[in-house]
Amino acid sequence: MSTRRAAKSLFMIEDVEVLRRKIRRLEDPVGLMWKDMRRLIHVRPDAAWMLAPFVAAVTGDPADIGIARREMLEYCRLLPGRSLSIDVQQDFWCPCFQVARMGIYYSWMRELGWISGADAAACEQIFLDYAFAHMFTSGLTKHRTDITNNQ
């Protein structure tokens, strides 16, 4: 696994270095939130798993990358079982945004060379299966109404 690979841009981030410079210059209170976010992925990665890929993409630190990689692989391992949850079965759009965000993070990690080979093939199949089963098919069958109702 490569821990450093130059990438001028990532999906939804036009210039990675510009983002990195902005975050390094953050002043409090936002600067404190960034420091807490970075600390949290080391102290409680189980509670900050969704933050780890973003933190690693910004810092490029091998320790942050290792945490992000581990958390992403665990997310991919658990995602198929989440298809049975009531959240997905009743209101598919709520958990699908989380999956879409993790898919974007995965694309960054793949682009940066942090996930490859069999792990990449497995994650990609899992994301595609989930997207087809819930996002695509539900979007095709969901009745469009004249009004918006979240329930």
Side-chain angles (χ1 to χ4, degrees):
M1 172 188 70
S2 170
T3 57
R4 295 209 186 248
R5 183 168 153 192
K8 172 81 173 136
S9 65
L10 297 172
F11 181 67
M12 299 187 72
I13 299 178
E14 188 175 327
D15 190 323
V16 178
E17 282 308 313
V18 169
L19 176 64
R20 287 176 176 157
R21 283 193 302 272
K22 283 182 181 178
I23 288 178
R24 286 184 197 121
R25 290 192 318 259
L26 287 174
E27 295 181 11
D28 297 340
V30 179
L32 284 174
M33 288 189 295
W34 168 250
K35 290 172 191 163
D36 285 346
M37 189 184 306
R38 187 159 185 213
R39 183 182 55 77
L40 191 58
I41 72 163
H42 290 273
V43 176
R44 288 286 316 274
D46 60 313
W49 55 270
M50 197 182 295
L51 302 173
F54 178 76
V55 170
V58 170
T59 67
D61 182 286
D64 296 346
I65 292 167
I67 292 168
R69 184 176 190 283
R70 184 184 69 232
E71 294 303 320
M72 180 60 73
L73 293 176
E74 180 69 359
Y75 182 81
C76 289
R77 186 183 72 76
L78 295 173
L79 186 58
R82 292 185 177 138
S83 289
L84 302 175
S85 78
I86 191 65
D87 294 345
V88 174
Q89 297 301 315
Q90 184 175 355
D91 294 326
F92 75 93
W93 54 87
C94 296
C96 286
F97 288 114
Q98 177 196 93
V99 176
R101 180 184 308 112
M102 293 304 286
I104 290 168
Y105 288 162
Y106 171 80
S107 76
W108 296 355
M109 295 173 78
R110 184 82 160 105
E111 175 71 22
L112 292 164
W114 301 344
I115 297 179
S116 59
D119 288 334
C123 285
E124 288 162 12
Q125 190 62 56
I126 288 165
F127 276 116
L128 285 172
D129 289 348
Y130 189 95
F132 181 77
H134 302 294
M135 300 170 180
F136 178 73
T137 54
S138 296
L140 289 177
T141 61
K142 188 81 173 156
H143 174 63
R144 294 178 187 247
T145 63
D146 293 334
I147 62 169
T148 301
N149 182 348
N150 190 32
Q151 300 305 316

